[in-house]
Amino acid sequence: MLMKKRILATLGIIAMAMAAAPAHAKTVQVTLHAVEVDLPIDNKGTMYRAWTFDGKVPGPLVRVTEGDTVDFTLVNDAKNKNSHAMDFHAAQLDVVKDFGAVKPGESKHYTFTAHYPGIFYYHCGADPMIQHIAHGMFGAIIVDPANPKALPKADREYVLIQSEIYPNPDDVESLMADKWKNVVFNFGVFRYDPVHDANATKWLQAKPGERVRIYFVNAGPNEFSSFHPIAGIWDRVYLSGNPRNVDYGLQSLAVGPGDGAIFDLVSPVEGANAIVTHSLRSALSGAIAVIMFTKDADPGMGRGEQTIVR
Ligand SMILES: [Cu+2]
């Protein structure tokens, strides 16, 4: 009789645990291809030997919801010359078994559950990691909170990833000596800055009063960011993008290599802000992104495919 009670109690606990599991949790298939390809690194089309995920820098935006399981496959294309790997900062795994490199023509598969909401870095971790990141092998994964009301609703969302560009990313000594030429957002010198580069054709857009959510990642490999909106104030900042890590009314926040944060910006007026790293040697070499606040802002910008403006 006692045994039966215990079994029933245990079953009750299991049933409660199952009821507590998020009903929305799903498995998301993600396949990324390591591709070595030439890409432009400025607005006039200077080409650079890039190592990429899916031929783009930043790599494709991966987006899941807290509690989801990511079923991940990395394919290292046979045409490549180098081994590559994948390190998701949203994952809790084995660095050797899961994040280890695979040779050209091979692939790697692993799964993880995204237990923490936020904005997380992903990057190639193949040796020497500094060279793979300098070549452009990085991107971002957003893990949206399971509770859709955990963050105030954003009207527009943009991903900005800071990194350094080195004249020769295969000269590892120059990477170790931190001899970058440009610090940039989304792998382009003044990519979204028509003020410093007349060849820039795109910038960020929003309407006054809209809540603009910047998902920011610092890919490094070496430089810190002091992330600041010139002529604006971050309304809210969430460290690592976790809704529990909220700060209000910040002017700048230091974001180190391998880190990320959510920055919410609301402009009460029309006009422009210039989003920079306030480390000015970095900003003036290419890390400035203009955001225009106008009543006739393009309704497509900061939504869907235009979350990473390409
Ligand atoms: Cu790589």
Side-chain angles (χ1 to χ4, degrees):
M1 189 65 195
L2 190 62
M3 182 65 96
K4 193 177 169 193
K5 264 189 186 165
R6 273 190 193 152
I7 289 168
L8 284 174
T10 305
L11 286 174
I13 288 165
I14 291 168
M16 275 162 59
M18 286 172 74
H24 61 80
K26 57 193 183 297
T27 297
V28 181
Q29 312 282 341
V30 177
T31 298
L32 294 176
H33 289 252
V35 184
E36 298 168 7
V37 66
D38 291 328
L39 286 181
I41 45 151
D42 59 26
N43 298 313
K44 63 175 194 278
T46 305
M47 299 305 274
Y48 193 80
R49 189 62 182 168
W51 299 352
T52 72
F53 293 105
D54 282 14
K56 311 172 206 194
V57 186
L61 176 62
V62 179
R63 192 160 196 172
V64 301
T65 301
E66 177 186 359
D68 285 352
T69 294
V70 177
D71 185 308
F72 175 68
T73 304
L74 171 67
V75 180
N76 190 352
D77 282 4
K79 280 181 277 178
N80 293 336
K81 294 196 165 62
N82 302 279
S83 293
H84 295 294
M86 174 58 100
D87 172 340
F88 277 106
H89 282 202
Q92 296 162 287
L93 292 168
D94 181 303
V95 63
V96 176
K97 177 166 71 72
D98 300 308
F99 290 175
V102 288
K103 297 189 179 91
E106 295 181 355
S107 64
K108 167 150 265 179
H109 173 261
Y110 60 75
T111 64
F112 65 93
T113 299
H115 289 294
Y116 292 89
I119 169 71
F120 295 93
Y121 186 26
Y122 73 68
H123 60 90
C124 177
D127 192 46
M129 194 197 291
I130 194 169
Q131 181 185 15
H132 289 251
I133 290 169
H135 265 283
M137 268 193 112
F138 53 76
I141 172 170
I142 295 171
V143 182
D144 287 313
N147 172 4
K149 297 201 169 133
L151 293 171
K153 189 187 165 302
D155 297 298
R156 301 189 193 242
E157 300 178 311
Y158 291 104
V159 171
L160 289 178
I161 302 187
Q162 179 177 318
S163 67
E164 301 111 50
I165 293 180
Y166 294 79
N168 177 6
D170 295 321
D171 174 9
V172 174
E173 261 185 48
S174 75
L175 311 180
M176 294 297 283
D178 202 21
K179 289 188 174 159
W180 49 264
K181 182 153 181 268
N182 306 94
V183 175
V184 298
F185 295 138
N186 292 356
F187 215 55
V189 178
F190 297 123
R191 185 165 187 172
Y192 311 120
D193 183 358
V195 178
H196 288 86
D197 183 354
N199 293 313
T201 57
K202 294 193 172 171
W203 44 88
L204 313 188
Q205 298 184 33
K207 293 180 183 176
E210 286 185 332
R211 178 167 295 276
V212 181
R213 182 155 295 150
I214 312 276
Y215 293 91
F216 179 68
V217 164
N218 184 355
N222 292 318
E223 291 297 310
F224 275 64
S225 184
S226 180
F227 201 58
H228 170 74
I230 297 178
I233 294 176
W234 300 123
D235 179 64
R236 299 177 191 215
V237 174
Y238 301 87
L239 303 181
S240 275
N242 188 317
R244 295 171 76 172
N245 304 334
V246 61
D247 280 303
Y248 297 90
L250 299 193
Q251 57 201 296
S252 305
L253 182 79
V255 179
D259 203 357
I262 284 176
F263 293 85
D264 276 10
L265 189 59
V266 183
S267 176
V269 297
E270 285 202 290
N273 285 181
I275 297 170
V276 299
T277 165
H278 217 301
S279 174
L280 292 178
R281 189 166 77 101
S282 297
L284 296 172
S285 74
I288 304 178
V290 169
I291 178 163
M292 279 297 305
F293 295 100
T294 64
K295 289 191 187 110
D296 56 0
D298 182 336
M301 293 289 287
R303 289 164 184 153
E305 287 296 304
Q306 301 270 40
T307 302
I308 299 181
V309 179
R310 301 208 188 257

